Amino acid sequence: MESTSDKATYTAPTQADIDEAIKKYGRDIYNDFDLDDPAFNEKHFEIIDDLVEKCPVAHSKVGDGYYIVAQNSLVKEVGQNWRTFSAASGYMPNRPEGVPFLYPEESDPPLHTAWRQSLNPFMGPGVVNDYEDQIRADANTLIDRFIDNGKCEFVSEFAAVLPGWAFFKNVLGVPVEDLDKLVDGVEQGTFSPDLEERGAKFGFVFEYLGEYLKKRSEEPPRGDMVDMIAAGVEYEDGTMSPWEDRVSVLVDMTFGGIATTTYVMASAINWLAENPKARQLLIDDPETYVPRAIEEFARVFAPVVALGRTCTKDVEIGGRMLSEGDFILMMYAGASRDPAVVEDPKTIDISRESVLHSAFGVGIHRCIGSNLARLELRATFEEWLKRVPEWRVVEEPVYMTGQLRSIRSLNLAW
């Protein structure tokens, strides 16, 4: 048995805590948590804050069952100790039958190392910064389409489009006309309540991108990331990565490129509509406050709610014993709302000079696309505020929540 935590004793929620949770959420979120419970979507931040405050290690009875850690220190313990908490069995609890693994996200070293070392140069700040002019131009192209109407549905007309365009045009080279069906495949493969549909949508994305990768492998090289993936990497045993691994890597990169930034972007625009003083700070001094706002919005509106690992041995964490084979979720959205690392974490403050958050993950699997996400957010805030300095929300946004959190509609007017 291994202990990874300094906390020797597990402090369980009190019966009063449990009774209060059942009254507020309709279930015992500490001993019977469910990522797909509608209450977790509707009372998202309340449930996360209760988990952080009252339960170091929660449990779910759904399917085969799984554990959840939400406190910052415990999330880091899991994320930074891949030998004990392995990604190689996938990040989904109760994974649907037949869903392929996504590399390198769902792998450990040395396979993970081989791919990340080859991928990292294509997503570094120097490379990504060259995309800025194109991304800003695309942001203005999208705004041009609706600005004279005095209204828009911000998600479908901007926030779900710009990240896809940024990734498709600058990184992937896939026709932007195919964005809608790939976004649908990614979203339904993540959020559909029908597990069979999730598997089918995942399958479509794999099929489409597999065909694209094959096509690119037969064309003259462009010297980009897709060429590198198509060529493959050498594994530790001296063999070249099989074709299915290469397709998996392209799918993983695409998921990250089009499935996450939308939520941060739209949630920030929703919040700024009701906070004119913060909005004015961004307009008056974007150089100072836009970078701070990006980190604060990523902290609060974490699009990756929780990703999982599998215990490779019996282990104690947070004072609770887990067995080899147990599945545990790292709730990144909770780690970023932990008062142990963030002062007054429930308050959104875009003037924070230092923002500690886990929105981009922790450990060796930290998000490879964080530089691109930050650029997309910066271009959005700066270009949007130049063109639409004042706006209002005309109806409540619609959200979906599971391992990712998504905003499905945000109707604005000005």
Side-chain angles (χ1 to χ4, degrees):
M1 185 271 287
E2 177 178 317
S3 176
T4 67
S5 175
D6 293 333
K7 298 180 180 178
T9 304
Y10 171 67
T11 305
T14 66
Q15 187 60 49
D17 291 333
I18 294 170
D19 292 343
E20 182 184 17
I22 294 172
K23 182 178 180 181
K24 289 195 296 184
Y25 311 126
R27 71 187 308 127
D28 175 1
I29 62 169
Y30 310 114
N31 300 293
D32 188 21
F33 179 80
D34 183 3
L35 272 174
D36 297 316
D37 188 335
F40 189 49
N41 182 53
E42 295 160 9
K43 298 182 178 180
H44 184 66
F45 298 114
E46 291 178 64
I47 289 177
I48 290 173
D49 290 338
D50 277 351
L51 288 171
V52 171
E53 179 183 349
K54 300 172 182 177
C55 192
V57 187
H59 184 252
S60 173
K61 300 176 183 176
V62 176
D64 294 330
Y66 53 90
Y67 294 89
I68 309 99
V69 289
Q71 295 174 354
N72 187 276
S73 62
L74 299 182
V75 167
K76 284 185 174 180
E77 284 185 17
V78 175
Q80 294 175 348
N81 187 358
W82 62 266
R83 289 180 176 84
T84 300
F85 302 102
S86 170
S89 295
Y91 62 68
M92 302 177 188
N94 302 305
R95 191 183 191 90
E97 189 72 28
V99 173
F101 288 104
L102 298 179
Y103 293 154
E105 177 64 38
E106 296 182 306
S107 70
D108 297 326
L111 187 152
H112 179 273
T113 306
W115 278 110
R116 280 298 292 255
Q117 286 180 343
S118 297
L119 291 166
N120 283 341
F122 294 96
M123 300 303 291
V127 174
V128 168
N129 287 344
D130 289 342
Y131 306 154
E132 181 170 355
D133 289 347
Q134 179 67 62
I135 292 173
R136 288 185 184 274
D138 286 343
N140 280 291
T141 295
L142 292 172
I143 295 170
D144 286 341
R145 293 179 174 182
F146 52 70
I147 190 167
D148 291 339
N149 298 333
K151 63 179 182 178
C152 74
E153 196 289 286
F154 185 75
V155 175
S156 63
E157 295 185 69
F158 189 97
V161 181
L162 185 66
W165 280 13
F167 191 73
F168 278 30
K169 291 183 179 184
N170 299 294
V171 180
L172 202 57
V174 170
V176 294
E177 293 78 16
D178 292 343
L179 176 61
D180 287 349
K181 57 187 178 184
L182 276 176
V183 169
D184 175 72
V186 169
E187 290 198 344
Q188 294 306 314
T190 302
F191 294 110
S192 175
D194 184 334
L195 294 184
E196 288 188 9
E197 184 180 25
R198 286 191 192 184
K201 292 293 185 178
F202 260 90
F204 164 76
V205 176
F206 266 83
E207 181 180 3
Y208 176 96
L209 290 173
E211 291 174 357
Y212 175 69
L213 192 64
K214 180 66 174 175
K215 176 174 175 287
R216 283 290 306 273
S217 71
E218 297 167 350
E219 295 177 354
R222 306 177 192 178
D224 61 7
M225 186 184 73
V226 178
D227 283 339
M228 184 280 295
I229 294 172
V233 298
E234 184 177 335
Y235 286 165
E236 189 179 44
D237 62 3
T239 63
M240 291 300 295
S241 52
W243 181 255
E244 56 267 27
D245 288 10
R246 304 177 203 186
V247 176
S248 175
V249 171
L250 186 61
V251 173
D252 189 28
M253 296 296 294
T254 303
F255 261 63
I258 66 178
T260 54
T261 313
T262 296
Y263 171 62
V264 187
M265 192 179 288
S267 297
I269 291 296
N270 179 47
W271 184 84
L272 286 168
E274 304 297 328
N275 290 271
K277 291 183 179 179
R279 201 165 64 225
Q280 198 61 46
L281 281 178
L282 298 177
I283 293 172
D284 292 344
D285 189 357
E287 185 174 343
T288 298
Y289 290 105
V290 168
R292 295 181 187 180
I294 289 169
E295 301 307 315
E296 181 70 344
F297 290 138
R299 179 187 75 81
V300 177
F301 304 120
V304 180
V305 177
L307 295 183
R309 300 288 185 263
T310 300
C311 299
T312 61
K313 62 186 76 174
D314 294 352
V315 60
E316 178 187 310
I317 183 165
R320 188 163 188 170
M321 279 301 307
L322 275 63
S323 300
E324 180 180 352
D326 281 346
F327 195 86
I328 183 167
L329 285 174
M330 301 172 287
M331 190 168 282
Y332 295 141
S336 298
R337 296 176 66 87
D338 189 338
V341 294
V342 180
E343 184 178 355
D344 193 14
K346 299 178 186 179
T347 298
I348 301 176
D349 180 3
I350 67 165
S351 67
R352 293 184 198 269
E353 293 187 21
S354 178
V355 182
L356 293 174
H357 66 77
S358 302
F360 296 120
V362 297
I364 62 172
H365 292 85
R366 191 178 183 281
C367 176
I368 195 173
S370 59
N371 294 307
L372 181 58
R374 288 184 171 103
L375 176 56
E376 291 165 3
L377 292 169
R378 188 171 83 243
T380 294
F381 299 148
E382 292 180 359
E383 300 306 319
W384 178 268
L385 288 165
K386 290 175 188 174
R387 307 284 302 278
V388 190
E390 294 185 16
W391 65 95
R392 65 185 184 279
V393 178
V394 297
E395 60 183 72
E396 283 296 308
V398 176
Y399 298 92
M400 289 188 69
T401 307
Q403 287 196 269
L404 304 182
R405 185 156 165 88
S406 169
I407 183 166
R408 311 311 296 270
S409 68
L410 177 63
N411 287 284
L412 308 177
W414 51 88

